[in-house]
Amino acid sequence: MNRRDMIDMALRNLWKRRLRTALTVLGVVIGTASIVVMVSIGIGMNKGFASQLENWGSLQVIDVYPSGGMEYDKETDSMKQTKKQDELNAKAVENFRQMEHVQAVSPVLEDYLYLTAGKYMADASFIGIEPGAMTALGYQVEDGRALSEEDSKAIVIGGGVEFYNPKLSWEMRNASEPPQVDVLNEKLGVTWDWSYGTRDADKTIKPVKVDAVGKMSADGNNGWTVIMPIRELEKIQKEKQAWEQKQNGGSSNGNRQKSKEYQRVMVKVDEMEHVQQVQQQIKDMGFRATSLTDELEAMKETTRMLRLVLGAIGAISMVVAAISITNTMVMAIYERTKEIGIMKVIGASLKDIKGLFLTEAAFIGFSGGIIGIIVSYGASFLVNFVAQRQGSTMQSAIPIWLALGGVAFSTAVGVIAGYLPAKRAMKLSALMAIKTE
């Protein structure tokens, strides 16, 4: 019996008992849809966690800090003391650049300064980085453009930075709307004089002129941040330190760095799956390293048990469907005993008889899987719709591999469930089968 005849005969046999076949397929549909939807909720939760963390920064960026201090040890689930080793200096930055899977590296300088726009000012956290690495490090610009290698006096401002009139009291500032400043078209400056614009302003401090070339979203971790080239921020800090030293009568205030050691370095990895590998290599070099993937893994760990429970619920439905397929095929053997005997007498091989029943079982599993995936997409849409209406962060996501895997799994379940009935059909005696009425 060739394959085409076997498929044609299997379809005709299923169609003859279409009510029983439909009920069996329905069981497979429920089982497949249950597993896929349950797994999709777990996948959706992980995607939601990743999306939430991306508001804080890039998941592919590692923050490196000087060695020494306390560090979390996953193996012992406790904090441990790290040993002081190499300095986080230009040599270390160059070593990071040479590492495999590293896409971009930038030392980071931070300071709290004031942004000026005419008679208005705004206080913000200033971050100095290598300007050409801004986009690679995950800083997203909503309006304008990011910093480039050629920029020196350029800045990118967070959308949450608010200007105010320094001549007004705090009560008046809070009671009035903040002034609207078009930062991309306004002449801006950077100063450390907190009395700028008032009668107490230090006339010796001249704001450093800068141009805003881009604006970031007000949401997320960078909403109140100003990004600028690190070399320019270093110059401003030197002027600030010289002014402070002069105010202190020529003595140092102790804040100036005695060595060229950075307080933080950002390392961008090419793919998220390589982050943990690169992070561990940096730790092995003696530095402290953290990334948002640590938070993501912790979130996934907390939901692992929930995802296992959801998968188990779906698996129970699939087990019931498998039992239903087995029952359907066993009943088919009892009803077609004489037909099996005639097939053996006219020359059908045991392999053909076994293949016929396995094909019927596979068709039940396959058709139930296809319909189950369609139902799963509908249920996933409904879950997302209800969650969105209620303001919940829970979501369902069905990637293509899950859909294809669901169909393959249901087909495999059908074949496995039909294996024992197929062997039973093979063992029937041809003579006894023909005599059966």
Side-chain angles (χ1 to χ4, degrees), residues 340 344 350 353 420-430:
I340 294 171
K344 287 186 175 182
L350 297 178
I353 295 173
L420 290 178
K423 286 200 70 174
R424 183 186 180 92
M426 289 171 57
K427 293 179 180 179
L428 284 177
S429 168

Side-chain angles (χ1 to χ4, degrees), residues 357-404:
F357 281 90
L358 288 180
T359 301
E360 292 179 16
F363 268 118
I364 292 174
F366 179 76
S367 57
I370 292 292
I371 300 173
I373 293 300
I374 296 173
V375 172
S376 300
Y377 275 109
S380 177
F381 175 80
L382 184 61
V383 168
N384 293 337
F385 177 77
V386 173
Q388 185 177 7
R389 290 289 296 271
Q390 295 184 351
S392 173
T393 57
M394 188 182 76
Q395 57 177 313
S396 170
I398 304 178
I400 186 65
W401 62 263
L402 180 58
L404 296 176

Side-chain angles (χ1 to χ4, degrees), residues 1-17:
M1 185 184 299
N2 60 42
R3 186 170 300 176
R4 183 174 179 179
D5 291 338
M6 186 177 297
I7 293 174
D8 182 63
M9 184 176 292
L11 291 175
R12 282 191 283 108
N13 289 334
L14 292 174
W15 182 252
K16 285 179 182 177
R17 299 163 181 84

Side-chain angles (χ1 to χ4, degrees), residues 331-342 429-437:
M331 291 301 298
I333 291 172
Y334 282 126
E335 294 172 354
R336 294 157 55 189
T337 301
K338 189 171 185 178
E339 177 185 333
I340 294 171
I342 293 173
S429 168
L431 185 58
M432 294 300 296
I434 292 175
K435 289 182 179 180
T436 303
E437 291 295 337

Side-chain angles (χ1 to χ4, degrees), residues 110-121:
E110 298 181 74
D111 205 343
Y112 197 80
L113 300 169
Y114 300 95
L115 198 62
T116 66
K119 65 178 182 179
Y120 301 120
M121 68 183 298

